[in-house]
Amino acid sequence: MALIVQKYGGTSVGSVERIQTVAQRIQKTVQQGNTVVVVVSAMGKTTDTLVSLAQEITANPSRREMDMLLSTGEQVTIALMTMALQEIGQAAISLTGAQVGIVTEAEYSRARILSIKPDRIKRHLDKAEVVVVAGFQGISSRENLEITTLGRGGSDTSAVALAAALKASFCEIYTDVPGILTTDPRIVPEARLMDEITCDEMLELASLGAKVLHPRAVEIARNYGVRLVVRSSWSDAPGTSVISPIPKPRSLEGLEIAKAVDAVEFDGEQAKIALLRVPDRPGIAARLFGEIAHQQVDVDLIIQSIHEGNSNDIAFTVINNVLTKAEAVAEAIAPALRTTPSNVTEAEVMVETGVAKISIAGAGMIGRPGIAATMFKTLAEANINIEMISTSEVKVSCVVAKEDGDRAIKVLCEAFDVELSPNPVASQAVEVSPPVRGVALDQKQAQIAIRHVKDKPGMAASIFGVLAENNISVDTIIQSQRCRILDGMPTRDIAFTVCEGDAKAACQVLSSLSDGFDEVIVDEDIAKVSIVGAGMVGQPGVAAKFFGALATENINIKMIATSEIKISCVVPKEQGVKALKAVHQAFELAGIEKVEVSA
Ligand code: ADP
Ligand code: ASP
Ligand code: MG
């Protein structure tokens, strides 16, 4: 007999009929000999409706009252679902987040789970009752018992956390699509269903805008080894398995806050190649990386920050032993990128050997301001200069001088209380995963560029430190290769993306830092398109195909940032959908059958 946690999303419980159908599915699962805990969302668009109601009263509702309001949505569903179960003769009881002991931080609207006390659930399960739990909500520490919510989409997180606490055999997420698809089917109806996806891939996709799973749910599944399946509540099809290696056992105390960083990763055998002052127009990255792929050279990090005037710098790293080949390609292509063939000040190639890439990795850094800042500060205190930065949702990578490598490893391992990973992703042969598993579009971000930041240790630390102090969560961070000497001082640009709503606050916060850079430029007119796949490690040509697809559509790339298993491009907002479609098609991700999206 298995203990199963089943979670039903808003559409799946959107009407009385749907609730009755779901009740039957739950009863069937029990009749097959299983013990079932059910987690439900608010019915249909209830949460959105509650948000609009609040907005009719005030543009600035208090976060405490918002949680008080929004948590009611799920409470309606638990009662109705339990009645529906009882009506068909299935013993059941509804319980709120507080009643099942989902204890969270006292942080309204985005609380993380600290612990779950499953005793009460177990008592009911022992009496052969189905326990129907309100998703998305919790209660702050025992004394003041404040109602909190976990953030929009948080019912997935409630379900997986309960599965971890109850040591459930598996957790099923029932939703309105047949499982996890290669991209959002509302934008690309040809999206294909995946049989499986790794937790690492799903974490990147979920944080990049694939709404089907809350990223924090994936993080818990990975940390606690919860077997996770995403399925349609309209059919019996198997759906998508979200797989992960069996993790080291860990305590359930501090469930979501235990460790933001899992490991430090290091690659000391890298070289950096930069093409300086290439034209800022569609097709340039495609041409460069197309040639490089043609020579079967695998590139690791790729970084392109904001343009200056009408030119851009693109930098990438390769492993040392392919440097000569990569450099030859870059040298050969540079003249073709000059506006006038004789103008050698344009499109210059710069090579630097003896660099190292050092990264911190961990799903716990998602939505938690300050992790990147701590890394930058730690390096600064050890007087290590950061040459380039590229971040993904679950990783921050810095290029530093190789001679600083050992010290960088030591100080970062101490700062985050972790060990150096013996087996970083870059050196793992991932055979099971295709080079690109899925693509995602995030249209809710703004790009902020800080021009001419003094190139000395500590600058990135102070910039991201002050943002973190103000609780602003920074997404992709890019520090480019471009170096300008101003008043005898080398400077570089640092750019990052934040959630649209945080852009204004971020600028205000940055203006309080008077020294160290020239200006802050905000661009709200952006979208981020990303490809994710564990199989792209060691596969030449993936980036080239991505950039090529954008070039064919005449889409200019504003920024590029990569991790081992992800490449993201910032493009103009109005071209985001076109970009997503082109990239999905370029990687031949479309399915034969059109995916049915239930309404
Ligand atoms: P629920 O209410 O069941 O939690 P959500 O609306 O939160 O459902 O998430 C499911 C929706 O996520 C789908 O209807 C789909 O439109 C959207 N979606 C975005 N990206 C993907 C993807 N890669 N795979 C599947 N669905 C996706
Ligand atoms: N009802 C909440 C929301 O709409 C939580 C969830 O459905 O996951 O965000
Ligand atoms: Mg959801």
Side-chain angles (χ1 to χ4, degrees):
M1 194 171 80
L3 170 58
I4 304 174
V5 176
Q6 295 188 331
K7 179 256 166 178
Y8 292 92
T11 324
S12 305
V13 293
S15 65
V16 166
E17 293 74 34
R18 287 299 312 152
I19 289 178
Q20 287 167 329
T21 313
V22 167
Q24 271 163 7
R25 183 188 282 271
I26 295 166
Q27 188 181 40
K28 204 166 106 192
T29 315
V30 174
Q31 286 167 348
Q32 285 162 348
N34 303 297
T35 305
V36 185
V37 173
V38 176
V39 175
V40 287
S41 290
M43 290 172 68
K45 299 252 172 273
T46 301
T47 313
D48 291 335
T49 312
L50 292 172
V51 171
S52 325
L53 275 179
Q55 275 165 355
E56 279 180 39
I57 291 178
T58 163
N60 244 333
S62 102
R63 283 171 49 205
R64 179 184 188 276
E65 300 313 322
M66 277 311 278
D67 278 8
M68 191 61 92
L69 177 68
L70 298 192
S71 61
T72 61
E74 274 63 18
Q75 214 162 311
V76 170
T77 323
I78 52 172
L80 293 177
M81 181 63 78
T82 305
M83 290 175 201
L85 284 164
Q86 291 169 347
E87 187 66 14
I88 55 173
Q90 175 60 54
I93 182 166
S94 63
L95 295 173
T96 64
Q99 285 175 309
V100 297
I102 299 187
V103 178
T104 72
E105 311 167 295
E107 186 63 65
Y108 305 111
S109 83
R110 52 164 177 249
R112 283 173 302 167
I113 300 175
L114 300 176
S115 64
I116 296 183
K117 309 263 172 296
D119 317 17
R120 177 144 189 212
I121 297 191
K122 283 184 178 153
R123 281 206 306 277
H124 290 291
L125 294 178
D126 287 344
K127 288 197 279 180
E129 288 171 340
V130 167
V131 180
V132 184
V133 182
F136 175 58
Q137 54 173 256
I139 190 124
S140 74
S141 68
R142 306 254 156 214
E143 299 91 65
N144 48 18
L145 305 178
E146 288 289 280
I147 291 178
T148 54
T149 67
L150 311 183
R152 295 302 306 267
S155 292
D156 299 334
T157 297
S158 312
V160 180
L162 275 169
L166 291 164
K167 303 200 169 34
S169 306
F170 46 94
C171 179
E172 297 176 327
I173 306 286
Y174 284 96
T175 184
D176 56 1
V177 280
I180 300 164
L181 308 169
T182 48
T183 194
D184 189 338
R186 287 166 304 183
I187 308 176
V188 186
E190 302 80 31
R192 183 168 69 211
L193 176 67
M194 305 173 190
D195 297 335
E196 59 174 35
I197 183 168
T198 67
C199 269
D200 283 332
E201 290 170 324
M202 192 57 220
L203 255 179
E204 295 273 13
L205 273 179
S207 331
L208 288 163
K211 191 183 164 206
V212 62
L213 269 182
H214 203 224
R216 282 163 48 191
V218 187
E219 179 191 349
I220 300 170
R222 190 184 72 160
N223 290 348
Y224 292 92
V226 175
R227 286 174 59 198
L228 189 59
V229 188
V230 179
R231 305 176 60 179
S232 163
S233 61
W234 273 257
S235 81
D236 286 324
T240 308
S241 299
V242 185
I243 51 177
S244 55
I246 297 165
K248 279 189 242 152
R250 51 159 106 192
S251 154
L252 286 159
E253 273 313 308
L255 195 103
E256 277 202 274
I257 58 157
K259 257 191 181 169
V261 172
D262 290 334
V264 168
E265 294 173 2
F266 183 74
D267 182 349
E269 293 306 317
Q270 294 221 330
K272 182 174 85 180
I273 301 181
L275 263 112
L276 309 181
R277 295 178 295 277
V278 298
D280 178 37
R281 61 163 191 257
I284 298 296
R287 179 131 185 230
L288 171 62
F289 291 98
E291 274 306 312
I292 288 173
H294 192 65
Q295 302 295 327
Q296 294 295 313
V297 171
D298 183 36
V299 292
D300 186 14
L301 284 184
I302 303 176
I303 299 175
Q304 178 200 303
S305 187
I306 48 161
H307 64 107
E308 176 150 331
N310 51 8
S311 82
N312 243 324
D313 299 346
I314 302 180
F316 58 95
T317 64
V318 292
I319 45 172
N320 265 328
N321 59 11
V322 293
L323 173 65
T324 328
K325 237 174 160 182
E327 189 187 353
V329 176
E331 288 285 4
I333 198 174
L337 301 179
R338 290 179 188 142
T339 34
T340 44
S342 57
N343 190 351
V344 286
T345 59
E346 290 183 347
E348 175 196 346
V349 178
M350 205 191 80
V351 175
E352 191 181 334
T353 51
V355 297
K357 181 180 72 171
I358 186 147
S359 315
I360 52 169
M365 64 179 80
I366 295 174
R368 197 181 308 182
I371 306 299
T374 305
M375 176 180 193
F376 304 151
K377 183 163 164 267
T378 307
L379 293 175
E381 280 166 1
N383 210 20
I384 296 169
N385 197 28
I386 305 170
E387 296 189 20
M388 300 202 296
I389 303 170
S390 181
T391 69
S392 81
E393 319 310 308
V394 290
K395 189 171 274 196
V396 184
S397 299
C398 296
V399 174
V400 299
K402 188 178 173 180
E403 68 215 33
D404 290 334
D406 287 342
R407 267 186 319 124
I409 295 172
K410 184 169 168 285
V411 291
L412 289 177
C413 286
E414 278 167 12
F416 291 104
D417 187 24
V418 290
E419 286 169 14
L420 180 67
S421 166
N423 199 9
V425 182
S427 62
Q428 283 168 26
V430 183
E431 283 154 19
V432 283
S433 292
V436 177
R437 185 85 79 168
V439 303
L441 176 66
D442 190 339
Q443 295 173 290
K444 297 212 175 91
Q445 295 212 325
Q447 170 188 304
I448 298 182
I450 312 172
R451 282 249 188 249
H452 307 150
V453 181
K454 285 186 181 137
D455 187 23
K456 58 176 189 192
M459 285 312 298
S462 73
I463 289 169
F464 294 102
V466 66
L467 288 168
E469 277 161 29
N470 286 277
N471 227 347
I472 296 171
S473 216
V474 173
D475 192 30
T476 315
I477 303 173
I478 299 169
Q479 178 184 305
S480 75
Q481 174 55 36
R482 179 189 293 131
C483 188
R484 299 271 174 274
I485 312 283
L486 296 175
D487 300 331
M489 180 76 190
T491 67
R492 292 183 197 274
D493 298 340
I494 294 182
F496 57 92
T497 57
V498 289
C499 174
E500 250 170 3
D502 283 343
K504 238 194 219 116
C507 286
Q508 256 161 17
V509 165
L510 288 172
S511 63
S512 70
L513 284 178
S514 50
D515 192 34
F517 55 84
D518 280 351
E519 59 175 332
V520 177
I521 306 164
V522 185
D523 185 353
E524 294 193 318
D525 191 23
I526 61 149
K528 192 166 76 178
V529 185
S530 313
I531 60 175
V532 174
M536 72 174 70
V537 178
Q539 273 260 358
V542 178
K545 197 183 249 185
F546 183 7
F547 304 151
L550 298 180
T552 313
E553 294 293 330
N554 213 22
I555 296 170
N556 198 24
I557 304 173
K558 288 174 175 246
M559 299 206 298
I560 305 171
T562 65
S563 76
E564 283 84 0
I565 67 164
K566 187 204 76 171
I567 304 174
S568 288
C569 289
V570 171
V571 299
K573 192 171 209 152
E574 72 277 6
Q575 290 181 313
V577 169
K578 189 160 97 172
L580 181 78
K581 288 182 172 165
V583 173
H584 191 263
Q585 191 170 15
F587 287 98
E588 294 170 22
L589 296 174
I592 308 158
E593 288 168 40
K594 213 166 135 180
V595 168
E596 281 302 320
V597 181
S598 320

